[in-house]
Amino acid sequence: TKGSSGVSGNCPKVVMLSSAGVTRPSWDDAKKEKLVGCADIPIVRLNPFGILDVKAESEQKLRDSGVNYCIVRPCGLNDN
């Protein structure tokens, strides 16, 4: 259904900005070996203050909440 704004009722109520690396700390060794360039990026190696684990837990809490949501996992950019 459409609200007074004309936007469909299926739009997310919450948009979470996460990280492309949130699942990487939990990868097993076989997956890390298969995707070497993806598993060994600085944010995963450093994981400052355990932020990737916090983001992964927060994503799951949002999924479990029952609200309409969208999780955005931006990746690193470079100038190449």
Side-chain angles (χ1 to χ4, degrees):
T1 63
K2 291 187 179 183
S4 60
S5 66
V7 177
S8 173
N10 292 337
C11 291
K13 302 290 184 203
V14 176
V15 177
M16 175 184 279
L17 182 60
S18 189
S19 172
V22 297
T23 62
R24 295 174 197 189
S26 65
W27 285 1
D28 62 23
D29 289 338
K31 190 167 186 175
K32 287 177 184 176
E33 288 176 20
K34 183 178 179 182
L35 302 167
V36 173
C38 297
D40 194 33
I41 60 175
I43 188 67
V44 175
R45 282 192 313 254
L46 298 173
N47 196 8
F49 306 105
I51 191 65
L52 295 176
D53 302 317
V54 172
K55 286 181 177 280
E57 290 169 15
S58 298
E59 285 185 14
Q60 191 56 52
K61 286 179 182 179
L62 179 58
R63 287 184 192 98
D64 295 342
S65 72
V67 301
N68 289 341
Y69 67 89
C70 175
I71 297 172
V72 179
R73 290 183 175 172
C75 58
L77 302 174
N78 60 40
D79 60 359
N80 292 336

